[in-house]
Amino acid sequence: MKILKNITLLIALLITSIGISQVKFEAKVSKTKLGINERLRIDFEMNKDGDNFTPPDFQDFTVIGGPNTSVSNTWLNGKRSFSKTYSYFLAPKKRGKFTIKQATIEIDDQVYKTQTVSVEVTAAVSRPNDPDNAENVANENIHLVAEISKTNPYLNEAITVVYKLYVSSSTGVSNWREIDNPRYNDFWSQNINIKGLKVQNGTYNGEDYRYVVLRKTVLYPQKSGKLEIEPLSLDVTVDVPTNRRDIFGGRLMTSVHRTVSAGSKTINVKPLPESTKPADFTGAVGDFDFNISASKSQLNASESLQLKVEVSGNGNLKLFNLPKITVPSSLEIYEPEHSENVRTNLDGTQGSISDSYTVVPQFKGKYPIPSVSFSYFDLKTETYKRVSSKEIIIDVLEGPTNNSASDNSITTAASNKQKVVLSNDQFAFVKTETNLTPTTTTHFFKSTGFWSALLLPLLAIPLAIVFRREKEKRNADVFGNKIRKADKLAKKYLSEAKRTLGKKEAFYIALEKALHNYLKAKLHIETSDLSKDKIQALLAEKSVDASVVSEFIEILKNCELARYTPISNVEMQQDYDKAAKTISLIDKQMQ
């Protein structure tokens, strides 16, 4: 008997293991490499029906469709073949290599997981080929264009890129976001702030369009030859007219996602002339003025002055070095403080940059600051130009006398200097301690704060009496309190749905959960096994009007159907308002 029991148990285990080994749960993608403006389809297939399917989070993608469920049952030579598939349509958020995590499902009380799937997202492709793309209507009605001011600039010459989104009059745009930003390799770039988007009228390919300027960027090429400007790509929510009409005969709109790209652009950068390049040229390109100024020309020894080297004008102000100045060895010079006062617009970078040197003379005498030259490439004449400063004389009126024969020789700031003889009062003009006392003193007694602290408690007594009477009056209003409580309850259960307005899938899941949780709280039941007829009967028993119950059931049906049909933001807002109103009415009428 014991042997028979063991054999029976062994056979049962073998049958179970065979059944388990036959279960398949796989993840399949339409492609493993796609452009940022293409769509990806992923199917989760199983050969046996299961429960509690949980998809991955798709954190690097935007879900634009799904889940779509398909079931197949076939019989061949008396053998049954079953297949069930959950399908999603995804739009990549950015470029790179990504891993789609595992999906899970329960089949015969066992949890099965798919393998992870690796997908590479590249730059936008010129002609995306996606047969499941639902944006065919919008393809010819929305365009992103990059307008470049000059395609053959010189090295370090400013060019501007203006990105415009063109939309035809028959469609509209309700939302957009950047999914792929150009990196501007081999360029120094500066974005221009745009305050508000202004809709303008224009033409695209000879047809009338509306457009908005989304971005303005100034670029300075940093090497010569052919350089590529990478495309800007956007994910746009487009409102497209449908064949459905409202009660007034107007066309109803539906929202679809459309990925648009400005396309890559190529410019040919010309090198600067080498044969005539000055020896002191540091890369300045544009139209500039050059000046050296001193804060004072007469002073005493051990006092200080400021020497300012400044370049102003229009050009690549942030991309070259200012010339250095040289002073006599009897002048102590410190490292300069660099400052920039520039602004960027469609004409390039304008303003000024400067180096400010602190100079301290040690001996009496007159010391010349020699002329300094500055070279730049002028784009108007396409030639190099040189600007020189005037010589500056620093007259030191009082101080010790230097008997050195090289007192007025010119040396560079970086050369070896003679040892400076310091006097005891070298920095006597700098005070290191203070002895400050207040000129007037105030007392709290009989001040404004004193009288306020004394009188405010007395003034608060009438306000407290009024507040208490209003509270008692509000507590006595039973009907009004019931209405306020009902509205508060509706807002409580619908708060999650309100946060997800605009995201169709998440919104209707949250809305359906809110309605079910409300029934659980009010009827003290579990709604997972209740049909709509049962819910309708229970609410009728609680003296809820039939029209309100019908409205509640209709909202539940909308939550189920809306996941698989196109829904606009306006329709989602209407369903939210209807749900809030219905919950409030049920709570008022329920007995």
Side-chain angles (χ1 to χ4, degrees), residues 223-289:
K223 71 177 185 179
S224 58
K226 291 186 177 181
L227 302 182
E228 181 182 3
I229 299 177
E230 294 183 347
L232 171 69
S233 297
L234 306 176
D235 180 65
V236 184
T237 303
V238 187
D239 295 329
V240 180
T242 66
N243 294 326
R244 297 181 298 165
R245 296 182 180 272
D246 57 23
I247 59 175
F248 300 104
R251 284 185 178 272
L252 295 176
M253 306 291 283
T254 185
S255 296
V256 296
H257 286 272
R258 169 84 168 99
T259 300
V260 292
S261 175
S264 61
K265 304 291 183 181
T266 302
I267 64 171
N268 188 17
V269 182
K270 298 180 290 187
L272 299 176
E274 291 290 336
S275 58
T276 57
K277 182 183 293 185
D280 60 349
F281 179 73
T282 60
V285 177
D287 185 13
F288 302 107
D289 293 323

Side-chain angles (χ1 to χ4, degrees), residues 19 48 95 98 107 160 164 196 205 231 263 271 292 306 327 362 375 398 400 408 437-438 488 508 553 583:
K48 194 172 184 181
R95 286 189 286 176
F98 308 108
I107 302 177
T160 58
K164 296 181 178 179
N205 288 340
I292 296 180
Q306 301 294 320
V327 298
Q362 301 300 319
S375 299
E398 297 181 3
N408 293 327
T437 57
K488 184 177 180 181
Y508 280 103
I553 299 301
I583 289 177

Side-chain angles (χ1 to χ4, degrees), residues 127-141:
R127 291 185 178 180
N129 182 19
D130 190 350
D132 296 307
N133 197 331
E135 304 163 358
N136 294 331
V137 179
N139 283 346
E140 301 301 325
N141 294 280

Side-chain angles (χ1 to χ4, degrees), residues 30 64 89 140 143 192 199 238 245 277 295 300 313 316 339 360 409 416 438 442 464 487 515 524 550 578:
S30 58
I64 61 173
F89 297 92
E140 301 301 325
H143 309 277
I192 301 174
V199 179
V238 187
R245 296 182 180 272
K277 182 183 293 185
S295 60
N300 297 327
N316 60 335
S339 63
V360 181
S409 63
N416 295 327
T442 58
D487 293 339
L515 297 175
H524 305 290
S550 299
K578 188 185 296 181

Side-chain angles (χ1 to χ4, degrees), residues 32-102:
T32 57
K33 186 175 182 180
L34 68 155
I36 189 70
N37 58 335
E38 291 187 286
R39 296 292 182 262
L40 176 71
R41 174 174 174 165
I42 182 168
D43 295 330
F44 299 98
E45 297 182 0
M46 65 203 74
N47 64 346
K48 194 172 184 181
D49 200 4
D51 298 313
N52 299 324
F53 170 72
T54 304
D57 54 12
F58 301 122
Q59 60 183 4
D60 299 307
F61 298 84
T62 300
V63 179
I64 61 173
N68 297 333
T69 308
S70 61
V71 177
S72 174
N73 268 305
T74 58
W75 291 87
L76 183 62
N77 297 327
K79 185 178 181 181
R80 177 177 177 268
S81 175
F82 175 84
S83 175
K84 185 175 182 179
T85 304
Y86 292 95
S87 301
Y88 290 84
F89 297 92
L90 311 176
K93 295 180 179 179
K94 56 186 177 181
R95 286 189 286 176
K97 293 184 178 180
F98 308 108
T99 299
I100 300 177
K101 298 180 181 179
Q102 296 173 317

Side-chain angles (χ1 to χ4, degrees), residues 474-490 518 522 542-543 583-591:
R474 185 183 181 93
N475 292 337
D477 185 9
V478 178
F479 181 73
N481 288 337
K482 189 173 183 180
I483 293 176
R484 286 187 288 270
K485 182 180 178 182
D487 293 339
K488 184 177 180 181
L489 189 64
Y518 173 75
K522 298 302 293 183
K542 296 292 184 178
S543 301
I583 289 177
S584 180
L585 289 173
I586 291 174
D587 204 61
K588 295 172 189 175
Q589 298 175 9
M590 188 176 292
Q591 296 180 1

